[in-house]
Amino acid sequence: MSATDTPGRPTPEELEGMSQQELARLAGTLDDVEVVHNAPKWPVRGTRAEKRAERAVATWFLLSALSALGFIVAFIAWPHEYVAPGAPGYGWYASYTPAIGFLFGFTVLALGIGVIAYVRKFFPEEVSVQQRHDGRSDEVDRKTIIAQLASAGKTTDIARRKLITRSAGAAAGIFGIGVGIAALGPLIRNPWKGGDQAALWVTPWAPVNGETVYLRRDTGILGEISRVRPEDLEPGSMETVFPYRESERGNEEALLHAQRASDTPVMLIRLRPGTQTIKRQGQEDFHFGDYYAFSKICTHLGCPASLYQTQDNRILCPCHQSQFLATEFARPVFGPATRALPQLPITVDSEGYFVARSDFIEPVGPAFWERRP
């Protein structure tokens, strides 16, 4: 005997002939639901109390809609380009993230409060007892539950409450548009704007007005300048370095930017004497003796490839276990990374300090950055 032939369960032909109200009643019967108490919230329609409740619910939806609209405007029009502290417009720049964060959060909050308020003020006061059943619902259950939901909508008179439906629709619609703009907004900006001087091609290691760019270590004290010399590193060691120009001395903002920029960290590696190396074509002179400088930004997903194994000269990225061979122009030998770490051309100046000969000649970071439109 099939499920639809058991007592109490209609055949497919009977199911097709049932009205929505009959399907809704059948849903409760099939689910072993016993309605102990069911009373409408507003037995008399059109009272002033009911209208006040409707306006209260609609107010939350309208607030959500207005907040969503404000989020869209702020996301598009609010000044978000970096402005130095104390400079004109810094207040607007500094409040950009808090503004869009508050508006987005309040949109979701008001929308949720509106839904909860509607349920509390207009859904019937019902007490039901249901027996638990395990297993997947069959076709009859799936069809009747839809009818049961539709019946609940009729019971709460949602169709005749135009103020609530329109305000809720406006809130949900504008919120959806805002979410779409937030998702697509970063894709609208052209990262290659500026040609060869685009932000994804140029790093703080690039020379500016011919000024020397030194390799500087981070001592933990921002204003303390410690430039790196060859004798500072033991054979088989590695040190993280950042770009530094003498014009930046005493300029805390510039020094901080050099350390925090995502494309500046470089690992300076000193191989052991006599180590055999394979150099990349076109980059044969990028090193200085046994010293090699590679970007610390993994070419897989941009994690910090900051671990160095002296025994086998491998650079490791702890995020997804990509490994790069320092003796072979930091080419990937294990893991998901498919592109070698960019190598920084270095030399030593007349004072004995390491300096960058130029910027990287390839993009720093994930491999897809090098694909131009």
Short mmCIF file of all heavy atoms in Angstrom, two decimals, residues 32-63:
data_model
loop_
_atom_site.label_atom_id
_atom_site.label_comp_id
_atom_site.label_asym_id
_atom_site.label_seq_id
_atom_site.Cartn_x
_atom_site.Cartn_y
_atom_site.Cartn_z
N ASP A 32 0.01 15.50 12.51
CA ASP A 32 -0.39 15.18 13.89
C ASP A 32 -0.36 16.42 14.76
O ASP A 32 0.16 16.40 15.90
CB ASP A 32 0.51 14.09 14.48
CG ASP A 32 0.17 12.71 13.94
OD1 ASP A 32 -0.93 12.57 13.38
OD2 ASP A 32 1.00 11.80 14.06
N VAL A 33 -0.90 17.51 14.24
CA VAL A 33 -0.94 18.76 14.98
C VAL A 33 -2.32 18.93 15.58
O VAL A 33 -3.33 18.88 14.88
CB VAL A 33 -0.61 19.96 14.07
CG1 VAL A 33 -0.78 21.26 14.85
CG2 VAL A 33 0.80 19.85 13.54
N GLU A 34 -2.37 19.15 16.87
CA GLU A 34 -3.62 19.41 17.55
C GLU A 34 -3.64 20.87 17.99
O GLU A 34 -2.81 21.30 18.78
CB GLU A 34 -3.76 18.51 18.77
CG GLU A 34 -5.06 18.74 19.54
CD GLU A 34 -5.14 17.92 20.81
OE1 GLU A 34 -4.20 17.13 21.06
OE2 GLU A 34 -6.13 18.08 21.56
N VAL A 35 -4.57 21.64 17.45
CA VAL A 35 -4.69 23.05 17.80
C VAL A 35 -5.50 23.15 19.09
O VAL A 35 -6.70 22.89 19.10
CB VAL A 35 -5.35 23.85 16.67
CG1 VAL A 35 -5.49 25.31 17.07
CG2 VAL A 35 -4.55 23.73 15.39
N VAL A 36 -4.82 23.54 20.15
CA VAL A 36 -5.48 23.64 21.45
C VAL A 36 -6.20 24.97 21.58
O VAL A 36 -7.30 25.05 22.15
CB VAL A 36 -4.44 23.49 22.58
CG1 VAL A 36 -5.12 23.61 23.94
CG2 VAL A 36 -3.72 22.16 22.46
N HIS A 37 -5.59 26.03 21.05
CA HIS A 37 -6.19 27.36 21.19
C HIS A 37 -5.80 28.18 19.96
O HIS A 37 -4.65 28.18 19.54
CB HIS A 37 -5.69 28.05 22.46
CG HIS A 37 -6.11 29.49 22.57
ND1 HIS A 37 -7.39 29.87 22.90
CD2 HIS A 37 -5.41 30.65 22.37
CE1 HIS A 37 -7.47 31.19 22.92
NE2 HIS A 37 -6.28 31.69 22.60
N ASN A 38 -6.77 28.89 19.39
CA ASN A 38 -6.49 29.76 18.25
C ASN A 38 -7.48 30.91 18.27
O ASN A 38 -8.69 30.70 18.13
CB ASN A 38 -6.61 28.99 16.94
CG ASN A 38 -6.19 29.84 15.74
OD1 ASN A 38 -6.88 30.81 15.40
ND2 ASN A 38 -5.10 29.47 15.10
N ALA A 39 -6.95 32.11 18.47
CA ALA A 39 -7.81 33.29 18.53
C ALA A 39 -7.16 34.42 17.76
O ALA A 39 -5.96 34.69 17.95
CB ALA A 39 -8.05 33.72 19.98
N PRO A 40 -7.89 35.09 16.87
CA PRO A 40 -7.31 36.20 16.10
C PRO A 40 -6.94 37.37 17.01
O PRO A 40 -7.59 37.61 18.02
CB PRO A 40 -8.43 36.57 15.13
CG PRO A 40 -9.68 36.10 15.78
CD PRO A 40 -9.31 34.87 16.54
N LYS A 41 -5.90 38.08 16.63
CA LYS A 41 -5.48 39.24 17.43
C LYS A 41 -6.50 40.37 17.35
O LYS A 41 -6.69 41.11 18.31
CB LYS A 41 -4.11 39.73 16.92
CG LYS A 41 -2.94 38.94 17.47
CD LYS A 41 -2.74 39.21 18.93
CE LYS A 41 -1.53 38.49 19.50
NZ LYS A 41 -0.26 38.97 18.96
N TRP A 42 -7.13 40.50 16.18
CA TRP A 42 -8.07 41.61 16.00
C TRP A 42 -9.41 41.05 15.50
O TRP A 42 -9.69 41.07 14.31
CB TRP A 42 -7.52 42.63 15.00
CG TRP A 42 -6.14 43.11 15.35
CD1 TRP A 42 -4.97 42.71 14.80
CD2 TRP A 42 -5.82 44.05 16.37
NE1 TRP A 42 -3.92 43.35 15.41
CE2 TRP A 42 -4.41 44.19 16.37
CE3 TRP A 42 -6.57 44.80 17.29
CZ2 TRP A 42 -3.75 45.03 17.25
CZ3 TRP A 42 -5.89 45.65 18.16
CH2 TRP A 42 -4.51 45.76 18.15
N PRO A 43 -10.23 40.54 16.42
CA PRO A 43 -11.52 39.96 16.00
C PRO A 43 -12.44 41.00 15.36
O PRO A 43 -13.26 40.65 14.52
CB PRO A 43 -12.10 39.41 17.31
CG PRO A 43 -11.38 40.14 18.40
CD PRO A 43 -10.03 40.45 17.88
N VAL A 44 -12.28 42.25 15.75
CA VAL A 44 -13.06 43.32 15.14
C VAL A 44 -12.13 44.14 14.27
O VAL A 44 -11.17 44.74 14.75
CB VAL A 44 -13.72 44.23 16.20
CG1 VAL A 44 -14.51 45.34 15.52
CG2 VAL A 44 -14.62 43.41 17.12
N ARG A 45 -12.39 44.15 12.97
CA ARG A 45 -11.50 44.83 12.04
C ARG A 45 -11.69 46.34 12.07
O ARG A 45 -12.78 46.84 12.32
CB ARG A 45 -11.73 44.32 10.62
CG ARG A 45 -11.39 42.86 10.41
CD ARG A 45 -11.54 42.51 8.94
NE ARG A 45 -11.12 41.15 8.65
CZ ARG A 45 -11.05 40.64 7.43
NH1 ARG A 45 -11.39 41.40 6.39
NH2 ARG A 45 -10.65 39.41 7.24
N GLY A 46 -10.60 47.03 11.76
CA GLY A 46 -10.68 48.47 11.54
C GLY A 46 -10.68 49.31 12.79
O GLY A 46 -10.97 50.51 12.72
N THR A 47 -10.39 48.74 13.95
CA THR A 47 -10.37 49.54 15.17
C THR A 47 -9.15 50.47 15.18
O THR A 47 -8.17 50.26 14.46
CB THR A 47 -10.32 48.65 16.42
OG1 THR A 47 -9.12 47.89 16.38
CG2 THR A 47 -11.52 47.70 16.45
N ARG A 48 -9.21 51.51 16.03
CA ARG A 48 -8.09 52.44 16.10
C ARG A 48 -6.84 51.76 16.65
O ARG A 48 -5.71 52.06 16.24
CB ARG A 48 -8.47 53.64 16.98
CG ARG A 48 -9.41 54.60 16.27
CD ARG A 48 -9.68 55.83 17.13
NE ARG A 48 -10.42 55.49 18.34
CZ ARG A 48 -10.78 56.36 19.28
NH1 ARG A 48 -10.44 57.65 19.14
NH2 ARG A 48 -11.45 55.98 20.34
N ALA A 49 -7.03 50.82 17.55
CA ALA A 49 -5.87 50.09 18.09
C ALA A 49 -5.19 49.27 17.00
O ALA A 49 -3.96 49.19 16.93
CB ALA A 49 -6.33 49.17 19.23
N GLU A 50 -6.00 48.67 16.11
CA GLU A 50 -5.42 47.89 15.01
C GLU A 50 -4.66 48.79 14.06
O GLU A 50 -3.56 48.45 13.60
CB GLU A 50 -6.53 47.15 14.26
CG GLU A 50 -6.00 46.28 13.11
CD GLU A 50 -7.11 45.66 12.30
OE1 GLU A 50 -8.28 46.08 12.49
OE2 GLU A 50 -6.81 44.79 11.48
N LYS A 51 -5.20 49.96 13.78
CA LYS A 51 -4.52 50.89 12.89
C LYS A 51 -3.21 51.40 13.50
O LYS A 51 -2.21 51.58 12.81
CB LYS A 51 -5.45 52.06 12.54
CG LYS A 51 -6.64 51.66 11.70
CD LYS A 51 -7.48 52.87 11.36
CE LYS A 51 -8.72 52.49 10.56
NZ LYS A 51 -8.39 51.91 9.25
N ARG A 52 -3.22 51.62 14.82
CA ARG A 52 -1.98 52.04 15.48
C ARG A 52 -0.92 50.95 15.37
O ARG A 52 0.26 51.23 15.14
CB ARG A 52 -2.25 52.38 16.95
CG ARG A 52 -2.91 53.73 17.17
CD ARG A 52 -2.76 54.17 18.63
NE ARG A 52 -3.33 53.19 19.55
CZ ARG A 52 -4.60 53.20 19.96
NH1 ARG A 52 -5.45 54.14 19.53
NH2 ARG A 52 -5.04 52.29 20.81
N ALA A 53 -1.34 49.72 15.57
CA ALA A 53 -0.40 48.60 15.47
C ALA A 53 0.16 48.49 14.05
O ALA A 53 1.35 48.24 13.85
CB ALA A 53 -1.10 47.29 15.86
N GLU A 54 -0.72 48.72 13.06
CA GLU A 54 -0.27 48.66 11.67
C GLU A 54 0.73 49.75 11.38
O GLU A 54 1.75 49.53 10.72
CB GLU A 54 -1.48 48.77 10.74
CG GLU A 54 -1.15 48.57 9.27
CD GLU A 54 -2.40 48.53 8.42
OE1 GLU A 54 -3.51 48.57 8.99
OE2 GLU A 54 -2.26 48.46 7.19
N ARG A 55 0.47 50.97 11.88
CA ARG A 55 1.40 52.07 11.65
C ARG A 55 2.74 51.83 12.36
O ARG A 55 3.80 52.19 11.83
CB ARG A 55 0.78 53.39 12.14
CG ARG A 55 -0.34 53.90 11.24
CD ARG A 55 -0.67 55.35 11.57
NE ARG A 55 -1.22 55.48 12.92
CZ ARG A 55 -2.51 55.42 13.22
NH1 ARG A 55 -3.40 55.23 12.25
NH2 ARG A 55 -2.93 55.57 14.47
N ALA A 56 2.67 51.21 13.54
CA ALA A 56 3.92 50.93 14.27
C ALA A 56 4.80 49.96 13.49
O ALA A 56 6.02 50.14 13.39
CB ALA A 56 3.59 50.35 15.65
N VAL A 57 4.19 48.93 12.91
CA VAL A 57 4.96 47.97 12.12
C VAL A 57 5.51 48.64 10.86
O VAL A 57 6.69 48.49 10.50
CB VAL A 57 4.08 46.76 11.74
CG1 VAL A 57 4.82 45.84 10.78
CG2 VAL A 57 3.67 46.00 12.99
N ALA A 58 4.65 49.42 10.19
CA ALA A 58 5.08 50.09 8.97
C ALA A 58 6.21 51.08 9.23
O ALA A 58 7.08 51.29 8.39
CB ALA A 58 3.89 50.79 8.32
N THR A 59 6.20 51.71 10.42
CA THR A 59 7.26 52.68 10.76
C THR A 59 8.63 52.02 10.74
O THR A 59 9.60 52.59 10.22
CB THR A 59 6.99 53.29 12.14
OG1 THR A 59 5.75 54.01 12.10
CG2 THR A 59 8.12 54.23 12.54
N TRP A 60 8.73 50.81 11.28
CA TRP A 60 10.02 50.12 11.28
C TRP A 60 10.47 49.78 9.86
O TRP A 60 11.64 49.90 9.51
CB TRP A 60 9.94 48.85 12.12
CG TRP A 60 9.98 49.13 13.59
CD1 TRP A 60 8.98 48.99 14.49
CD2 TRP A 60 11.12 49.60 14.32
NE1 TRP A 60 9.39 49.36 15.74
CE2 TRP A 60 10.71 49.73 15.68
CE3 TRP A 60 12.42 49.94 13.99
CZ2 TRP A 60 11.57 50.17 16.67
CZ3 TRP A 60 13.28 50.38 14.98
CH2 TRP A 60 12.86 50.49 16.30
N PHE A 61 9.51 49.38 9.02
CA PHE A 61 9.88 49.08 7.63
C PHE A 61 10.30 50.35 6.89
O PHE A 61 11.23 50.33 6.09
CB PHE A 61 8.70 48.41 6.92
CG PHE A 61 8.45 46.99 7.35
CD1 PHE A 61 7.16 46.54 7.57
CD2 PHE A 61 9.50 46.11 7.53
CE1 PHE A 61 6.92 45.23 7.97
CE2 PHE A 61 9.28 44.80 7.94
CZ PHE A 61 7.98 44.37 8.15
N LEU A 62 9.62 51.46 7.17
CA LEU A 62 10.00 52.72 6.52
C LEU A 62 11.38 53.18 7.00
O LEU A 62 12.19 53.68 6.20
CB LEU A 62 8.95 53.79 6.82
CG LEU A 62 7.60 53.61 6.12
CD1 LEU A 62 6.59 54.65 6.62
CD2 LEU A 62 7.75 53.73 4.60
N LEU A 63 11.65 53.04 8.30
CA LEU A 63 12.98 53.39 8.81
C LEU A 63 14.05 52.52 8.16
O LEU A 63 15.14 53.00 7.83
CB LEU A 63 13.02 53.21 10.33
CG LEU A 63 12.24 54.25 11.14
CD1 LEU A 63 12.23 53.86 12.62
CD2 LEU A 63 12.84 55.63 10.96
#
